[in-house]
Amino acid sequence: MGNDSSLPSAGAYKPLTEEAIARICEAVGEDACVNDSDELRELGHDASEFNGLPLLVVEAVSAHQVQALLRLANALHFPVTPRGSGTGLTGGAVPLFGGVVLSLARMNRILSIDRENLITVVQPGVINMDLKKAVQREGLFYPPDPASLDTCSVGGNAATNAAGPSCIKYGTTCDYVLGLEAVLPSGELIRTGCRTRKGVVGYDLTHLLVGSEGTLGVITELVLRLIPHPPAVTTLVGLFPRLSAAMGAVASVLGQGHIPCAMEFMDRHCLELVGDCLPFEGVQESGAFLLVEIDGVPDVIQREIEAIGEICLECEAVNVLLAPDSHKRSQMWDVRKEVSLRVERHFPLYIPEDIVVPIGRIAEFVEGLPEMEQRYGMKIYSFGHAGDGNIHLNITAEDRRMLDRVEEGITEILKRVLAMGGTISGEHGIGMAKRRYLPLELSPESIRIQREIKKVFDPHLILNPGKIF
Amino acid sequence: MGNDSSLPSAGAYKPLTEEAIARICEAVGEDACVNDSDELRELGHDASEFNGLPLLVVEAVSAHQVQALLRLANALHFPVTPRGSGTGLTGGAVPLFGGVVLSLARMNRILSIDRENLITVVQPGVINMDLKKAVQREGLFYPPDPASLDTCSVGGNAATNAAGPSCIKYGTTCDYVLGLEAVLPSGELIRTGCRTRKGVVGYDLTHLLVGSEGTLGVITELVLRLIPHPPAVTTLVGLFPRLSAAMGAVASVLGQGHIPCAMEFMDRHCLELVGDCLPFEGVQESGAFLLVEIDGVPDVIQREIEAIGEICLECEAVNVLLAPDSHKRSQMWDVRKEVSLRVERHFPLYIPEDIVVPIGRIAEFVEGLPEMEQRYGMKIYSFGHAGDGNIHLNITAEDRRMLDRVEEGITEILKRVLAMGGTISGEHGIGMAKRRYLPLELSPESIRIQREIKKVFDPHLILNPGKIF
């Protein structure tokens, strides 16, 4: 992207003075201010490798406090980095230029669950799983399911347009956000969208804010769409000799009109690493693992899962397990997290990537990785969402000094992704981690328009500076 | 909204000179230029009451021509009004300030249908129904179904975020647009979004363009998401003594976890008007009509439609007809169009409105209309999408001279809609028809941000001026 004088650089913000800190604390209330050095350090990073150090953390409990803080930031030109639960993987919540971290974690109330109109109104700090459980008690379902759903917040999910395995059937967070209340960098509060499924009044500011990674406004309330909770769910797992065989099964399942609520795969490297955790025979010798979940009416999904089992066998599956008990099922879901943990433990250099290729090219893409591994001295553990083409590449090397070479390799991989008609981030976002790769996917005209939109919302570039662009 | 010197007024654009017309024709090619006066008149209106008269129509067959035209418009400051099939109901495609109408109707090719990856790439002029038929031949389904689906274009659908009865289960056009190619008012061509279900790279320009009513860019290509075609569909119709009873049935159906692909209602006035067209007993004496469609696996939807029939009877339905034959079914769908036709024929003053209230308040809203009818001398025929709260109010009066009073009444109705948590346009958009009401729903801050976004895309305000704001 080169330099652009209109975007902030390291020296763009003066350090926050004692006087400014005093004014902030007066504006938002002492109770909301945290300046204990341990906590500042703790809230200076997310789940990525990036770190920053805020001079102050404001833990808001109301939109008024958010407004007061941003009004001051806009007047005094200090950076504010909004933060949900800090589970992001791209440094989106890291205060790159110090300043203030604005935590929304204490705004964690579910304000209403409206069964008749199938909506819920929530504050941004509500934990995804807490919302899922609360609406399930009303017979309702909130589908978005990022891997961190036990700890991530719905506000952070909206800010990053997070998604997970269920995307193939249910879509991503943006498909469930009907409307927002947000504070703009000016301190003005706006409401976007509506509380109904349809609404076409003016430009779609809701979807512009969703996925903007906290750079355009701070979400202080969300109106979310709910659906009836599916009555039942069932699972199948299969082992295949090669990834291409597993992907053949995926194509057949979709081609025959089934719409599973998850189709997850792991490659050979992952199976070597964590095969011992899977309650299966012959795992470590297999070339690919596939997990398919289907939800709906019990007798229908029973028929469907059996049909899917047949498809897997026709596609050379060497072992198929239908409808495992819930203990085995949760073991199989947990095993994916184990990949990341073991990879992190084994390798001094570990970079998680999050790309998407068209479903029909997953096998071709993953089977092309060994050549890249060899050329750039990496080892790549691939797993992901076969049903939507979203692959998590766990890129590793034996030595941190290989970083430059590995980054060259990543650039090559991302170019290959784009050449296949894919995208360089499926659900983690850009944050700090992928800024450098943005021009691979977006044209200069697109980036220019987006930067100008940023300036419309945030003329003084005080909100989450240094992210995306 | 008052005046704003930054937005165009009637005198803002000089008439297109002979020389400018010659330059346009040279740039886009003579074949693309239409200046026959009958055709200019014909392409100066849409399906609304509004009219305009362009000095030239450009019928583009390529994005290059669109770029050439907009580059000239941006340099010479003449207005360009993009146009799909002209089926819009709010004047969105009417050339308010003359200038050039840019028709996309000839860019009507389906470029690819990718069965494996569940996407199709199309030009904007493809007719909605043609796309539906083409993908159905591949076993696939493109759900968005505005009432004009036999004649409306998918580009126009995207520009207005059009939707129809199936929204309750399948969402609106924006839920199916994965990516766009669009020409900006500068003449620059950008690609937004991606070809995959997931993608979070930069701001969501796709959703910003969708629903922007041709004011931010001209869509020249769309990447649309497809789903497997549902194997079967079945229908139920019910007559109820009162609308509140019908809406009680709607609430019970949704509350018991059914997700129909249509739940359409008509009120008492509509039944008086077109009851003779319905293949039913006792229609004209009834208070409300409900049509429910459900799609999916045959035996499951059979069970579901029977359960829904039971629910209707428990909710006081006086007559329920399960799974009518396809002839009767299409008669019942057609009857709604008949309402608009007869209303238009009977009444010298006819204004179609398109509002949304929360599903649970439809009955309360519609049953409050007689008081408004009386107060403002109107008669209102209501029908619409009970499953998503979107109601089409066919507002009529016996005398055109009552327009001012009727418009006062409409303002009152829209205020009531908003007080109930609804929105003033569900699927028709703002265009020219609802500009005056925009500040009822959007705050000054929201309108300011939207106008500034407009200026980022279109600094000389050449693209579809006078719409939305």
Side-chain angles (χ1 to χ4, degrees):
Chain A
M1 265 165 50
N3 289 316
D4 181 322
S5 59
S6 67
L7 285 179
S9 61
Y13 303 97
K14 287 179 227 132
L16 214 51
T17 61
E18 288 294 326
E19 190 209 332
I21 292 180
R23 282 181 67 183
I24 296 167
C25 292
E26 194 188 353
V28 302
E30 290 288 344
D31 284 357
C33 292
V34 177
N35 49 21
D36 169 82
S37 62
D38 284 348
E39 278 197 69
L40 293 181
R41 241 191 316 278
E42 179 60 28
L43 295 173
H45 65 84
D46 59 10
S48 73
E49 52 167 343
F50 299 100
N51 276 290
L53 188 64
L55 286 174
L56 182 72
V57 171
V58 171
E59 295 185 325
V61 293
S62 78
H64 289 299
Q65 290 171 315
V66 175
Q67 289 186 275
L69 174 65
L70 291 187
R71 266 195 296 263
L72 266 181
N74 204 39
L76 305 179
H77 297 189
F78 61 81
V80 174
T81 304
R83 174 190 177 86
S85 305
T87 57
L89 292 165
T90 62
V94 170
L96 180 57
F97 300 107
V100 177
V101 161
L102 168 58
S103 168
L104 286 311
R106 286 168 66 189
M107 291 181 70
N108 62 351
R109 285 193 302 138
I110 296 172
L111 301 174
S112 66
I113 297 172
D114 181 344
R115 218 174 166 288
E116 190 171 28
N117 294 303
L118 298 168
I119 59 170
T120 180
V121 181
V122 301
Q123 291 187 320
V126 172
I127 300 302
N128 181 302
M129 182 52 100
D130 292 342
L131 179 62
K132 280 194 163 57
K133 284 182 183 162
V135 304
Q136 183 167 4
R137 283 191 290 270
E138 306 288 327
L140 298 172
F141 185 38
Y142 175 69
D145 56 350
S148 56
L149 54 83
D150 287 329
T151 50
C152 63
S153 69
V154 292
N157 293 169
T160 55
N161 191 13
S166 78
C167 170
I168 175 181
K169 179 165 183 177
Y170 293 113
T172 68
T173 299
C174 87
D175 298 311
Y176 294 86
V177 183
L178 295 174
L180 294 172
E181 178 192 89
V183 178
L184 304 183
S186 61
E188 292 166 311
L189 186 137
I190 61 167
R191 287 183 181 277
T192 72
C194 48
R195 290 174 171 242
T196 53
R197 184 77 187 273
K198 283 180 183 160
V200 287
V201 175
Y203 298 148
D204 186 350
L205 299 184
T206 308
H207 281 104
L208 188 57
L209 286 166
V210 170
S212 67
E213 305 192 24
T215 65
L216 298 181
V218 176
I219 296 168
T220 49
E221 199 173 291
L222 304 94
V223 182
L224 300 173
R225 180 166 79 86
L226 302 171
I227 59 177
H229 203 285
V233 59
T234 186
T235 307
L236 162 159
V237 286
L239 287 176
F240 293 80
R242 295 173 312 284
L243 188 62
S244 57
M247 292 305 140
V250 168
S252 285
V253 168
L254 295 173
Q256 292 182 28
H258 302 287
I259 312 177
C261 57
M263 293 187 101
E264 303 294 298
F265 80 95
M266 286 196 291
D267 76 348
R268 185 184 303 274
H269 286 343
C270 292
L271 291 177
E272 285 162 9
L273 191 70
V274 298
D276 58 301
C277 305
L278 280 168
F280 250 113
E281 298 282 305
V283 175
Q284 268 137 321
E285 297 75 47
S286 298
F289 170 84
L290 187 67
L291 178 152
V292 181
E293 283 204 346
I294 197 146
D295 63 8
V297 179
D299 56 340
V300 178
I301 61 173
Q302 186 55 37
R303 287 194 316 241
E304 284 196 81
I305 208 78
E306 283 164 16
I308 292 169
E310 289 299 324
I311 291 171
C312 289
L313 292 172
E314 282 159 23
C315 293
E316 303 181 56
V318 289
N319 197 340
V320 171
L321 180 58
L322 280 192
D325 62 49
S326 67
H327 174 67
K328 272 199 182 135
R329 193 174 152 245
S330 78
Q331 265 184 305
M332 285 182 296
W333 275 105
D334 286 343
V335 84
R336 245 191 31 189
K337 287 175 194 159
E338 192 64 23
V339 174
S340 311
L341 288 175
R342 291 195 187 178
V343 159
E344 209 163 357
R345 211 178 305 139
H346 286 248
F347 294 95
L349 181 62
Y350 165 44
I351 301 176
E353 280 293 336
D354 157 52
I355 61 92
V356 191
V357 293
I359 312 164
R361 302 189 76 170
I362 295 176
E364 177 193 351
F365 173 79
V366 175
E367 286 170 358
L369 290 176
E371 179 213 330
M372 307 288 277
E373 293 180 312
Q374 216 172 12
R375 203 187 311 159
Y376 295 97
M378 316 179 280
K379 183 160 187 180
I380 304 176
Y381 296 81
S382 304
F383 60 74
H385 315 301
D388 57 39
N390 186 198
I391 308 174
H392 298 296
L393 301 173
N394 297 273
I395 297 174
T396 66
E398 297 286 355
D399 193 327
R400 275 203 72 80
R401 285 171 302 182
M402 292 177 66
L403 181 62
D404 287 351
R405 206 156 145 227
V406 167
E407 283 183 343
E408 262 179 69
I410 291 174
T411 303
E412 277 313 297
I413 289 172
L414 297 181
K415 283 183 183 168
R416 191 171 288 189
V417 163
L418 292 169
M420 284 185 170
T423 177
I424 64 169
S425 185
E427 50 187 24
H428 296 170
I430 301 299
M432 294 164 72
K434 282 196 167 173
R435 273 187 306 174
R436 76 177 75 184
Y437 305 119
L438 198 72
L440 293 178
E441 180 156 344
L442 301 182
S443 69
E445 294 78 20
S446 175
I447 291 175
R448 177 183 63 76
I449 285 280
Q450 295 187 41
R451 284 178 163 179
E452 288 185 19
I453 290 172
K454 163 71 176 172
K455 283 187 227 161
V456 164
F457 282 79
D458 187 11
H460 299 303
L461 305 174
I462 55 133
L463 194 60
N464 211 4
K467 309 300 164 64
I468 304 183
F469 307 110
Chain B
M1 264 167 49
N3 290 315
D4 180 324
S5 58
S6 66
L7 285 179
S9 61
Y13 303 96
K14 288 178 226 135
L16 215 49
T17 61
E18 287 294 326
E19 190 208 330
I21 292 180
R23 282 181 67 183
I24 296 167
C25 293
E26 193 188 354
V28 303
E30 291 288 345
D31 284 356
C33 292
V34 178
N35 49 22
D36 169 80
S37 62
D38 284 350
E39 279 198 69
L40 292 182
R41 242 192 314 279
E42 179 60 28
L43 295 173
H45 66 83
D46 59 9
S48 74
E49 52 167 345
F50 298 100
N51 276 292
L53 187 63
L55 287 175
L56 183 73
V57 171
V58 171
E59 296 185 325
V61 294
S62 78
H64 289 300
Q65 290 171 314
V66 176
Q67 290 185 275
L69 174 65
L70 292 186
R71 266 194 296 262
L72 265 181
N74 205 38
L76 305 179
H77 298 189
F78 61 81
V80 174
T81 304
R83 175 190 177 85
S85 305
T87 57
L89 292 165
T90 61
V94 170
L96 179 57
F97 300 106
V100 178
V101 162
L102 168 58
S103 168
L104 286 311
R106 286 169 67 190
M107 291 181 69
N108 62 353
R109 286 192 302 137
I110 296 171
L111 301 173
S112 66
I113 298 172
D114 181 345
R115 217 175 166 289
E116 190 170 30
N117 294 304
L118 299 167
I119 60 171
T120 180
V121 181
V122 301
Q123 290 187 322
V126 171
I127 300 302
N128 181 302
M129 182 52 98
D130 293 343
L131 180 61
K132 279 195 165 56
K133 285 181 182 162
V135 304
Q136 184 167 5
R137 285 192 288 272
E138 306 288 327
L140 298 172
F141 185 38
Y142 176 69
D145 56 350
S148 56
L149 53 83
D150 288 329
T151 50
C152 64
S153 69
V154 292
N157 293 170
T160 56
N161 191 14
S166 77
C167 170
I168 176 183
K169 180 166 181 178
Y170 293 113
T172 68
T173 299
C174 88
D175 298 312
Y176 294 86
V177 183
L178 295 174
L180 294 171
E181 178 193 89
V183 178
L184 304 183
S186 61
E188 292 167 310
L189 186 137
I190 61 167
R191 287 181 181 278
T192 72
C194 48
R195 291 172 170 244
T196 53
R197 185 78 187 271
K198 283 180 184 160
V200 286
V201 175
Y203 298 149
D204 186 350
L205 298 183
T206 307
H207 281 104
L208 188 57
L209 286 165
V210 170
S212 67
E213 304 191 26
T215 64
L216 298 180
V218 176
I219 296 168
T220 50
E221 199 174 291
L222 304 94
V223 182
L224 301 173
R225 181 166 78 87
L226 302 170
I227 59 176
H229 203 286
V233 61
T234 187
T235 306
L236 164 158
V237 286
L239 287 175
F240 293 79
R242 294 173 313 283
L243 188 63
S244 57
M247 291 306 140
V250 168
S252 284
V253 168
L254 296 173
Q256 291 181 29
H258 302 286
I259 312 177
C261 58
M263 292 187 103
E264 303 296 298
F265 79 96
M266 284 196 292
D267 75 349
R268 185 183 303 274
H269 286 343
C270 292
L271 291 178
E272 284 161 8
L273 189 72
V274 298
D276 59 302
C277 306
L278 280 170
F280 250 114
E281 297 283 304
V283 174
Q284 269 137 321
E285 296 76 47
S286 297
F289 170 85
L290 187 66
L291 178 152
V292 181
E293 284 204 347
I294 195 146
D295 64 7
V297 179
D299 56 341
V300 178
I301 62 173
Q302 186 54 36
R303 286 195 316 241
E304 283 196 80
I305 207 78
E306 285 164 16
I308 292 169
E310 289 299 324
I311 291 172
C312 289
L313 292 172
E314 282 160 22
C315 293
E316 302 179 56
V318 290
N319 197 343
V320 172
L321 180 58
L322 281 192
D325 62 48
S326 68
H327 175 67
K328 273 200 181 131
R329 195 174 151 244
S330 79
Q331 266 183 304
M332 285 182 294
W333 275 104
D334 286 344
V335 84
R336 241 187 37 185
K337 287 173 194 161
E338 193 63 24
V339 174
S340 311
L341 288 174
R342 291 195 186 178
V343 159
E344 209 163 357
R345 212 180 303 140
H346 286 254
F347 293 96
L349 181 61
Y350 165 43
I351 301 176
E353 281 292 336
D354 157 52
I355 60 91
V356 191
V357 293
I359 312 164
R361 303 190 74 170
I362 295 176
E364 175 192 352
F365 174 77
V366 175
E367 287 170 356
L369 290 176
E371 180 213 329
M372 307 289 278
E373 292 179 313
Q374 214 170 13
R375 202 185 315 162
Y376 294 98
M378 318 179 279
K379 184 159 186 182
I380 304 177
Y381 296 81
S382 304
F383 61 75
H385 315 302
D388 57 39
N390 186 197
I391 307 174
H392 298 296
L393 301 174
N394 298 272
I395 296 174
T396 67
E398 297 286 357
D399 193 326
R400 276 203 70 81
R401 286 172 300 182
M402 293 178 65
L403 181 62
D404 287 350
R405 203 154 147 232
V406 167
E407 283 183 345
E408 263 179 68
I410 292 175
T411 304
E412 278 313 298
I413 290 172
L414 297 182
K415 283 182 183 167
R416 192 171 287 189
V417 163
L418 292 170
M420 283 185 170
T423 177
I424 65 170
S425 185
E427 51 188 24
H428 296 171
I430 301 299
M432 293 163 71
K434 284 198 166 172
R435 271 186 309 174
R436 77 178 74 182
Y437 305 119
L438 199 71
L440 294 179
E441 180 157 345
L442 301 182
S443 69
E445 295 77 19
S446 175
I447 292 175
R448 177 183 63 76
I449 284 280
Q450 295 186 41
R451 284 178 160 178
E452 289 185 20
I453 290 172
K454 164 72 175 170
K455 283 187 225 159
V456 164
F457 282 81
D458 187 11
H460 300 303
L461 304 175
I462 55 133
L463 194 60
N464 211 5
K467 309 302 163 63
I468 304 181
F469 305 110

